[in-house]
Amino acid sequence: MVKITQIIIIFLFMLSCAKIENKNNLLIGYEKDHSHRGMSVVDTVRTQRIITGDSIFYVTQIPKKNHVMKVRKSYHNDSILVGQNVIFELHKTKVYKINGANYTVYKYVYNDEQSSDEEEDIFFTDEYGVLYDRLWWFSYGSSYEYDLISTKLVEYITSDTTGFFKEKILPPPPKLNKDD
């Protein structure tokens, strides 16, 4: 009787863990467009995280644009991210600390040397998938924010001036003396 009770308890525990994991695999948030005119909320987004074999797939539905963004990342290889049949190469990583937890943000870059105006950056985390997607040639980006942590990460990314997001801001030139 004790073994049956233990088996039932273990089964119920595993079932409850599976339900919790399933809830964590669906993120609901907002897409925000960023341009030289400012920022605007575009639509609600739903991102499903699907774990298969050695990869994680992130499928983000953007209903208002009638668009689905799909990306895949290997558990064992951070050097590439595959999205929309394009291979993005890892350019840099940065770790941000929020509420005592570390979040690694990967900056992936697509740049086909044989083409022009196709360059794109993707800022990505394992927890959320794509947080920010930026087209170089248009100075246009979209952020995907789901909770306070993802919103804070987007804020950290877009305000970065160390070369991770923006190049360093140069100091103003020195003031000239009237005698010069």
Side-chain angles (χ1 to χ4, degrees):
M1 185 67 172
V2 172
K3 282 191 173 195
I4 293 174
T5 306
Q6 288 175 338
I7 291 172
I8 291 172
I9 290 172
I10 291 170
F11 176 75
L12 290 173
F13 175 74
M14 289 173 54
L15 189 60
S16 68
C17 288
K19 287 181 182 177
I20 290 169
E21 178 65 24
N22 203 12
K23 288 180 184 175
N24 288 337
N25 285 338
L26 177 64
L27 300 168
I28 299 173
Y30 295 96
E31 177 192 27
K32 296 179 181 176
D33 281 347
H34 302 254
S35 70
H36 63 280
R37 290 187 232 158
M39 179 185 61
S40 61
V41 175
V42 174
D43 198 7
T44 301
V45 294
R46 299 169 59 89
T47 296
Q48 182 74 37
R49 194 171 80 181
I50 303 164
I51 301 167
T52 60
D54 71 339
S55 296
I56 309 172
F57 292 85
Y58 299 84
V59 180
T60 302
Q61 298 175 341
I62 309 166
K64 195 171 188 178
K65 292 182 176 178
N66 195 26
H67 179 69
V68 176
M69 175 177 52
K70 299 175 185 176
V71 296
R72 177 179 59 86
K73 180 175 176 274
S74 170
Y75 273 124
H76 309 293
N77 183 4
D78 293 332
S79 66
I80 63 167
L81 181 74
V82 179
Q84 309 304 96
N85 298 318
V86 172
I87 295 175
F88 292 84
E89 295 181 1
L90 182 63
H91 185 66
K92 293 181 181 181
T93 61
K94 196 156 196 177
V95 177
Y96 296 102
K97 191 171 197 157
I98 301 173
N99 298 335
N102 290 330
Y103 295 89
T104 301
V105 176
Y106 302 90
K107 177 182 180 179
Y108 290 97
V109 174
Y110 174 70
N111 184 10
D112 182 353
E113 296 296 330
Q114 306 302 317
S115 300
S116 62
D117 295 340
E118 86 304 336
E119 296 90 354
E120 185 176 358
D121 293 337
I122 288 183
F123 297 86
F124 178 94
T125 67
D126 289 332
E127 295 83 3
Y128 299 101
V130 176
L131 283 175
Y132 198 93
D133 183 11
R134 176 176 64 180
L135 300 172
W136 294 0
W137 60 273
F138 196 53
S139 297
Y140 172 83
S142 294
S143 63
Y144 306 92
E145 302 173 33
Y146 305 96
D147 56 20
L148 293 174
I149 292 174
S150 62
T151 299
K152 192 68 169 169
L153 286 168
V154 167
E155 180 184 313
Y156 286 158
I157 292 166
T158 57
S159 64
D160 180 272
T161 57
T162 65
F164 187 64
F165 186 76
K166 299 177 193 170
E167 295 304 314
K168 293 180 181 181
I169 296 176
L170 298 174
K175 293 183 179 181
L176 298 175
N177 291 330
K178 291 182 181 181
D179 296 338
D180 289 339

